[in-house]
Short mmCIF file of all heavy atoms in Angstrom, two decimals:
data_model
loop_
_atom_site.label_atom_id
_atom_site.label_comp_id
_atom_site.label_asym_id
_atom_site.label_seq_id
_atom_site.Cartn_x
_atom_site.Cartn_y
_atom_site.Cartn_z
N GLY A 1 19.53 58.60 -12.40
CA GLY A 1 20.03 58.18 -11.08
C GLY A 1 21.37 58.74 -10.71
O GLY A 1 21.60 59.11 -9.55
N TYR A 2 22.28 58.83 -11.66
CA TYR A 2 23.62 59.32 -11.31
C TYR A 2 23.61 60.82 -10.99
O TYR A 2 24.54 61.34 -10.37
CB TYR A 2 24.64 59.00 -12.41
CG TYR A 2 24.58 59.88 -13.63
CD1 TYR A 2 25.44 60.96 -13.77
CD2 TYR A 2 23.64 59.66 -14.63
CE1 TYR A 2 25.39 61.77 -14.89
CE2 TYR A 2 23.58 60.46 -15.75
CZ TYR A 2 24.45 61.50 -15.87
OH TYR A 2 24.40 62.31 -16.98
N GLU A 3 22.55 61.54 -11.37
CA GLU A 3 22.42 62.97 -11.10
C GLU A 3 21.66 63.25 -9.81
O GLU A 3 21.55 64.39 -9.39
CB GLU A 3 21.67 63.66 -12.24
CG GLU A 3 22.30 63.49 -13.59
CD GLU A 3 21.38 63.88 -14.73
OE1 GLU A 3 20.19 63.49 -14.71
OE2 GLU A 3 21.86 64.56 -15.64
N CYS A 4 21.10 62.22 -9.20
CA CYS A 4 20.19 62.38 -8.06
C CYS A 4 20.91 62.92 -6.82
O CYS A 4 22.00 62.49 -6.47
CB CYS A 4 19.55 61.03 -7.72
SG CYS A 4 18.19 61.15 -6.52
N SER A 5 20.24 63.86 -6.15
CA SER A 5 20.82 64.44 -4.94
C SER A 5 20.23 63.82 -3.67
O SER A 5 20.65 64.14 -2.57
CB SER A 5 20.59 65.96 -4.93
OG SER A 5 19.19 66.22 -5.00
N GLU A 6 19.24 62.93 -3.83
CA GLU A 6 18.66 62.25 -2.69
C GLU A 6 19.66 61.24 -2.13
O GLU A 6 20.58 60.80 -2.82
CB GLU A 6 17.39 61.49 -3.11
CG GLU A 6 16.27 62.37 -3.57
CD GLU A 6 15.61 63.15 -2.45
OE1 GLU A 6 15.44 62.58 -1.36
OE2 GLU A 6 15.30 64.33 -2.66
N LYS A 7 19.44 60.85 -0.87
CA LYS A 7 20.27 59.83 -0.24
C LYS A 7 20.17 58.54 -1.05
O LYS A 7 19.11 58.19 -1.56
CB LYS A 7 19.80 59.59 1.18
CG LYS A 7 20.67 58.65 1.96
CD LYS A 7 20.15 58.48 3.38
CE LYS A 7 21.02 57.46 4.08
NZ LYS A 7 20.40 56.93 5.25
N ARG A 8 21.28 57.84 -1.19
CA ARG A 8 21.33 56.60 -1.97
C ARG A 8 20.54 55.50 -1.27
O ARG A 8 20.54 55.39 -0.06
CB ARG A 8 22.76 56.12 -2.13
CG ARG A 8 23.62 57.09 -2.89
CD ARG A 8 23.45 56.89 -4.36
NE ARG A 8 23.40 58.19 -4.98
CZ ARG A 8 22.88 58.41 -6.16
NH1 ARG A 8 22.38 57.46 -6.89
NH2 ARG A 8 22.84 59.62 -6.66
N MET A 9 19.87 54.66 -2.10
CA MET A 9 19.13 53.52 -1.56
C MET A 9 20.08 52.64 -0.77
O MET A 9 19.74 52.18 0.32
CB MET A 9 18.52 52.68 -2.70
CG MET A 9 17.43 53.38 -3.44
SD MET A 9 16.75 52.33 -4.74
CE MET A 9 18.12 52.22 -5.87
N GLN A 10 21.24 52.40 -1.31
CA GLN A 10 22.26 51.62 -0.62
C GLN A 10 23.37 52.60 -0.27
O GLN A 10 24.06 53.08 -1.15
CB GLN A 10 22.78 50.53 -1.54
CG GLN A 10 21.68 49.67 -2.12
CD GLN A 10 21.87 48.21 -1.77
OE1 GLN A 10 22.95 47.76 -1.51
NE2 GLN A 10 20.77 47.50 -1.75
N GLY A 11 23.52 52.89 0.99
CA GLY A 11 24.45 53.91 1.44
C GLY A 11 25.89 53.72 1.00
O GLY A 11 26.64 54.65 0.84
N SER A 12 26.31 52.45 0.79
CA SER A 12 27.70 52.19 0.43
C SER A 12 27.93 52.25 -1.07
O SER A 12 29.04 52.10 -1.54
CB SER A 12 28.13 50.81 0.94
OG SER A 12 27.33 49.82 0.34
N MET A 13 26.88 52.47 -1.85
CA MET A 13 27.01 52.49 -3.31
C MET A 13 27.11 53.93 -3.81
O MET A 13 26.34 54.78 -3.40
CB MET A 13 25.80 51.83 -3.97
CG MET A 13 25.64 50.36 -3.59
SD MET A 13 27.05 49.36 -4.04
CE MET A 13 26.80 49.25 -5.77
N PHE A 14 28.04 54.16 -4.71
CA PHE A 14 28.18 55.47 -5.32
C PHE A 14 27.60 55.43 -6.73
O PHE A 14 27.67 54.40 -7.39
CB PHE A 14 29.65 55.88 -5.38
CG PHE A 14 30.23 56.24 -4.05
CD1 PHE A 14 30.87 55.29 -3.28
CD2 PHE A 14 30.10 57.54 -3.56
CE1 PHE A 14 31.40 55.63 -2.04
CE2 PHE A 14 30.62 57.87 -2.33
CZ PHE A 14 31.26 56.93 -1.57
N PRO A 15 27.03 56.53 -7.19
CA PRO A 15 26.47 56.54 -8.54
C PRO A 15 27.58 56.54 -9.59
O PRO A 15 28.70 56.98 -9.33
CB PRO A 15 25.71 57.86 -8.59
CG PRO A 15 26.42 58.74 -7.63
CD PRO A 15 26.91 57.83 -6.53
N THR A 16 27.26 56.01 -10.76
CA THR A 16 28.19 56.07 -11.88
C THR A 16 27.43 56.62 -13.09
O THR A 16 26.24 56.40 -13.21
CB THR A 16 28.79 54.70 -12.24
OG1 THR A 16 27.73 53.82 -12.57
CG2 THR A 16 29.60 54.13 -11.10
N SER A 17 28.13 57.32 -13.92
CA SER A 17 27.52 57.87 -15.11
C SER A 17 27.26 56.78 -16.14
O SER A 17 28.09 55.89 -16.32
CB SER A 17 28.45 58.93 -15.72
OG SER A 17 27.99 59.31 -16.97
N PRO A 18 26.14 56.82 -16.85
CA PRO A 18 25.86 55.79 -17.85
C PRO A 18 26.51 56.09 -19.21
O PRO A 18 26.34 55.33 -20.14
CB PRO A 18 24.33 55.85 -17.97
CG PRO A 18 23.99 57.27 -17.67
CD PRO A 18 25.00 57.71 -16.63
N PHE A 19 27.23 57.17 -19.32
CA PHE A 19 27.81 57.57 -20.60
C PHE A 19 29.29 57.24 -20.67
O PHE A 19 29.96 57.14 -19.66
CB PHE A 19 27.61 59.07 -20.82
CG PHE A 19 26.18 59.49 -20.71
CD1 PHE A 19 25.74 60.25 -19.64
CD2 PHE A 19 25.26 59.12 -21.68
CE1 PHE A 19 24.43 60.64 -19.54
CE2 PHE A 19 23.94 59.49 -21.58
CZ PHE A 19 23.52 60.24 -20.50
N VAL A 20 29.80 57.10 -21.87
CA VAL A 20 31.22 56.89 -22.10
C VAL A 20 31.80 58.25 -22.47
O VAL A 20 31.42 58.85 -23.45
CB VAL A 20 31.47 55.88 -23.23
CG1 VAL A 20 32.97 55.73 -23.49
CG2 VAL A 20 30.86 54.54 -22.89
N TYR A 21 32.72 58.74 -21.64
CA TYR A 21 33.33 60.05 -21.89
C TYR A 21 34.65 59.93 -22.62
O TYR A 21 35.12 60.87 -23.24
CB TYR A 21 33.55 60.79 -20.57
CG TYR A 21 32.24 61.15 -19.91
CD1 TYR A 21 31.74 60.41 -18.85
CD2 TYR A 21 31.48 62.23 -20.35
CE1 TYR A 21 30.53 60.73 -18.26
CE2 TYR A 21 30.27 62.55 -19.78
CZ TYR A 21 29.80 61.80 -18.73
OH TYR A 21 28.61 62.11 -18.15
N TYR A 22 35.29 58.76 -22.52
CA TYR A 22 36.61 58.59 -23.09
C TYR A 22 36.76 57.16 -23.59
O TYR A 22 36.47 56.22 -22.86
CB TYR A 22 37.67 58.90 -22.04
CG TYR A 22 39.08 58.71 -22.51
CD1 TYR A 22 39.70 59.64 -23.32
CD2 TYR A 22 39.79 57.56 -22.16
CE1 TYR A 22 41.00 59.44 -23.76
CE2 TYR A 22 41.09 57.37 -22.59
CZ TYR A 22 41.68 58.32 -23.39
OH TYR A 22 42.96 58.14 -23.83
N TYR A 23 37.18 56.99 -24.83
CA TYR A 23 37.45 55.66 -25.38
C TYR A 23 38.95 55.43 -25.36
O TYR A 23 39.73 56.28 -25.81
CB TYR A 23 36.92 55.58 -26.83
CG TYR A 23 35.43 55.46 -26.90
CD1 TYR A 23 34.64 56.60 -27.00
CD2 TYR A 23 34.80 54.23 -26.87
CE1 TYR A 23 33.26 56.51 -27.06
CE2 TYR A 23 33.41 54.12 -26.94
CZ TYR A 23 32.65 55.26 -27.04
OH TYR A 23 31.30 55.17 -27.10
N ASP A 24 39.38 54.28 -24.86
CA ASP A 24 40.80 53.96 -24.77
C ASP A 24 41.40 53.69 -26.14
O ASP A 24 40.74 53.15 -27.02
CB ASP A 24 41.01 52.68 -23.93
CG ASP A 24 40.77 52.90 -22.46
OD1 ASP A 24 40.84 54.06 -22.01
OD2 ASP A 24 40.51 51.91 -21.75
N ASP A 25 42.67 54.02 -26.27
CA ASP A 25 43.41 53.60 -27.46
C ASP A 25 44.34 52.46 -27.01
O ASP A 25 44.34 52.06 -25.84
CB ASP A 25 44.18 54.76 -28.11
CG ASP A 25 45.19 55.41 -27.19
OD1 ASP A 25 45.60 54.78 -26.19
OD2 ASP A 25 45.58 56.55 -27.47
N GLU A 26 45.13 51.94 -27.90
CA GLU A 26 45.98 50.78 -27.60
C GLU A 26 46.97 51.08 -26.46
O GLU A 26 47.21 50.24 -25.61
CB GLU A 26 46.73 50.36 -28.87
CG GLU A 26 47.26 48.96 -28.81
CD GLU A 26 47.86 48.51 -30.13
OE1 GLU A 26 47.35 48.91 -31.18
OE2 GLU A 26 48.85 47.76 -30.08
N CYS A 27 47.52 52.28 -26.46
CA CYS A 27 48.48 52.67 -25.40
C CYS A 27 47.82 52.69 -24.03
O CYS A 27 48.41 52.23 -23.04
CB CYS A 27 49.09 54.04 -25.69
SG CYS A 27 50.20 54.03 -27.09
N ASP A 28 46.59 53.21 -23.96
CA ASP A 28 45.86 53.24 -22.67
C ASP A 28 45.64 51.83 -22.14
O ASP A 28 45.78 51.57 -20.95
CB ASP A 28 44.50 53.93 -22.85
CG ASP A 28 44.61 55.39 -23.21
OD1 ASP A 28 45.52 56.07 -22.68
OD2 ASP A 28 43.79 55.86 -24.03
N ILE A 29 45.27 50.92 -23.02
CA ILE A 29 45.00 49.53 -22.62
C ILE A 29 46.27 48.88 -22.10
O ILE A 29 46.26 48.21 -21.06
CB ILE A 29 44.39 48.75 -23.80
CG1 ILE A 29 43.00 49.32 -24.13
CG2 ILE A 29 44.30 47.26 -23.48
CD1 ILE A 29 42.40 48.84 -25.43
N LYS A 30 47.39 49.08 -22.78
CA LYS A 30 48.67 48.52 -22.34
C LYS A 30 49.12 49.11 -21.01
O LYS A 30 49.60 48.40 -20.12
CB LYS A 30 49.74 48.73 -23.40
CG LYS A 30 49.58 47.83 -24.62
CD LYS A 30 50.64 48.08 -25.65
CE LYS A 30 50.43 47.18 -26.85
NZ LYS A 30 51.40 47.42 -27.92
N ARG A 31 48.95 50.44 -20.84
CA ARG A 31 49.32 51.09 -19.58
C ARG A 31 48.51 50.54 -18.41
O ARG A 31 49.04 50.29 -17.34
CB ARG A 31 49.11 52.61 -19.68
CG ARG A 31 50.42 53.34 -19.85
CD ARG A 31 50.22 54.83 -19.83
NE ARG A 31 50.12 55.20 -21.25
CZ ARG A 31 49.27 56.05 -21.74
NH1 ARG A 31 48.43 56.71 -20.98
NH2 ARG A 31 49.23 56.33 -23.03
N ARG A 32 47.19 50.37 -18.62
CA ARG A 32 46.33 49.85 -17.56
C ARG A 32 46.73 48.41 -17.21
O ARG A 32 46.78 48.04 -16.04
CB ARG A 32 44.86 49.93 -17.96
CG ARG A 32 43.95 49.53 -16.83
CD ARG A 32 42.46 49.77 -17.08
NE ARG A 32 41.98 49.23 -18.32
CZ ARG A 32 41.65 49.97 -19.39
NH1 ARG A 32 41.75 51.29 -19.34
NH2 ARG A 32 41.21 49.41 -20.49
N ALA A 33 47.05 47.60 -18.20
CA ALA A 33 47.46 46.22 -17.95
C ALA A 33 48.75 46.18 -17.12
O ALA A 33 48.88 45.37 -16.19
CB ALA A 33 47.66 45.49 -19.26
N LYS A 34 49.71 47.08 -17.41
CA LYS A 34 50.95 47.15 -16.62
C LYS A 34 50.66 47.53 -15.17
O LYS A 34 51.22 46.94 -14.24
CB LYS A 34 51.91 48.19 -17.22
CG LYS A 34 52.80 47.68 -18.29
CD LYS A 34 53.79 48.78 -18.67
CE LYS A 34 54.67 48.34 -19.81
NZ LYS A 34 55.55 49.42 -20.27
N ARG A 35 49.78 48.53 -14.98
CA ARG A 35 49.44 48.96 -13.60
C ARG A 35 48.78 47.82 -12.84
O ARG A 35 49.07 47.61 -11.67
CB ARG A 35 48.52 50.18 -13.64
CG ARG A 35 49.23 51.47 -13.95
CD ARG A 35 48.36 52.69 -13.68
NE ARG A 35 47.08 52.68 -14.36
CZ ARG A 35 46.87 53.17 -15.57
NH1 ARG A 35 47.86 53.70 -16.26
NH2 ARG A 35 45.67 53.15 -16.11
N LEU A 36 47.90 47.08 -13.50
CA LEU A 36 47.22 45.98 -12.83
C LEU A 36 48.19 44.85 -12.47
O LEU A 36 48.09 44.26 -11.39
CB LEU A 36 46.07 45.45 -13.70
CG LEU A 36 44.91 46.43 -13.86
CD1 LEU A 36 43.88 45.88 -14.84
CD2 LEU A 36 44.26 46.74 -12.54
N LYS A 37 49.16 44.57 -13.34
CA LYS A 37 50.17 43.57 -13.02
C LYS A 37 51.01 43.99 -11.82
O LYS A 37 51.33 43.18 -10.96
CB LYS A 37 51.08 43.32 -14.23
CG LYS A 37 50.44 42.44 -15.28
CD LYS A 37 51.41 42.20 -16.45
CE LYS A 37 50.72 41.39 -17.53
NZ LYS A 37 51.58 41.18 -18.69
N ARG A 38 51.34 45.29 -11.76
CA ARG A 38 52.10 45.81 -10.60
C ARG A 38 51.28 45.67 -9.33
O ARG A 38 51.79 45.30 -8.27
CB ARG A 38 52.47 47.29 -10.82
CG ARG A 38 53.85 47.50 -11.33
CD ARG A 38 54.36 48.92 -11.15
NE ARG A 38 53.40 49.98 -11.39
CZ ARG A 38 53.19 50.58 -12.56
NH1 ARG A 38 53.87 50.24 -13.62
NH2 ARG A 38 52.30 51.53 -12.66
N LYS A 39 49.99 45.97 -9.43
CA LYS A 39 49.10 45.88 -8.25
C LYS A 39 49.02 44.44 -7.75
O LYS A 39 49.11 44.19 -6.56
CB LYS A 39 47.72 46.41 -8.62
CG LYS A 39 46.75 46.41 -7.48
CD LYS A 39 45.42 46.98 -7.94
CE LYS A 39 44.40 46.94 -6.84
NZ LYS A 39 43.13 47.51 -7.27
N VAL A 40 48.88 43.49 -8.67
CA VAL A 40 48.83 42.07 -8.31
C VAL A 40 50.15 41.67 -7.62
O VAL A 40 50.14 40.99 -6.61
CB VAL A 40 48.54 41.19 -9.54
CG1 VAL A 40 48.80 39.72 -9.26
CG2 VAL A 40 47.11 41.39 -10.00
N ALA A 41 51.28 42.10 -8.19
CA ALA A 41 52.58 41.77 -7.60
C ALA A 41 52.71 42.35 -6.20
O ALA A 41 53.20 41.67 -5.28
CB ALA A 41 53.71 42.28 -8.50
N ASP A 42 52.26 43.59 -6.00
CA ASP A 42 52.31 44.22 -4.67
C ASP A 42 51.46 43.44 -3.66
O ASP A 42 51.88 43.22 -2.53
CB ASP A 42 51.83 45.67 -4.73
CG ASP A 42 52.78 46.60 -5.46
OD1 ASP A 42 53.93 46.18 -5.70
OD2 ASP A 42 52.35 47.72 -5.80
N LEU A 43 50.27 43.04 -4.07
CA LEU A 43 49.40 42.27 -3.17
C LEU A 43 49.98 40.91 -2.86
O LEU A 43 49.91 40.44 -1.72
CB LEU A 43 48.00 42.13 -3.79
CG LEU A 43 47.14 43.39 -3.78
CD1 LEU A 43 45.92 43.20 -4.66
CD2 LEU A 43 46.72 43.74 -2.37
N GLN A 44 50.59 40.25 -3.85
CA GLN A 44 51.21 38.95 -3.61
C GLN A 44 52.41 39.09 -2.67
O GLN A 44 52.61 38.27 -1.78
CB GLN A 44 51.63 38.30 -4.93
CG GLN A 44 50.46 37.75 -5.70
CD GLN A 44 50.85 37.22 -7.07
OE1 GLN A 44 51.84 37.63 -7.66
NE2 GLN A 44 50.03 36.32 -7.60
N GLU A 45 53.19 40.15 -2.87
CA GLU A 45 54.35 40.39 -2.01
C GLU A 45 53.92 40.62 -0.56
O GLU A 45 54.59 40.20 0.37
CB GLU A 45 55.12 41.60 -2.54
CG GLU A 45 56.45 41.83 -1.86
CD GLU A 45 57.17 43.00 -2.47
OE1 GLU A 45 57.37 43.01 -3.70
OE2 GLU A 45 57.54 43.93 -1.71
#
C-alpha cells in the first residue's frame, strides 16, 4: 500500500512505510522529548 500510485481511498491520508529504517538511541529519545516539551509550551503560551 505505501508503494501504490493509485489515488488514496481516503484523500486526506498519506501512506506510511511499514518498515523501521532507523532505531533511536538514548540521545534521540531525550532530544525528541525536549522538542515536544517546547512545542507544548509554545501552544500553551
Side-chain angles (χ1 to χ4, degrees):
Y2 77 98
E3 302 166 316
C4 190
S5 58
E6 295 289 320
K7 185 179 177 198
R8 297 276 138 200
M9 292 181 293
Q10 307 239 334
S12 62
M13 299 301 284
F14 287 93
T16 60
S17 170
F19 305 110
V20 178
Y21 293 101
Y22 178 78
Y23 286 91
D24 288 339
D25 60 21
E26 200 173 324
C27 290
D28 295 322
I29 294 168
K30 286 179 181 177
R31 256 185 265 138
R32 186 171 51 252
K34 273 186 183 175
R35 284 193 304 271
L36 292 175
K37 282 181 183 178
R38 262 197 321 269
K39 182 178 177 179
V40 167
D42 290 346
L43 287 168
Q44 285 175 335
E45 189 178 305

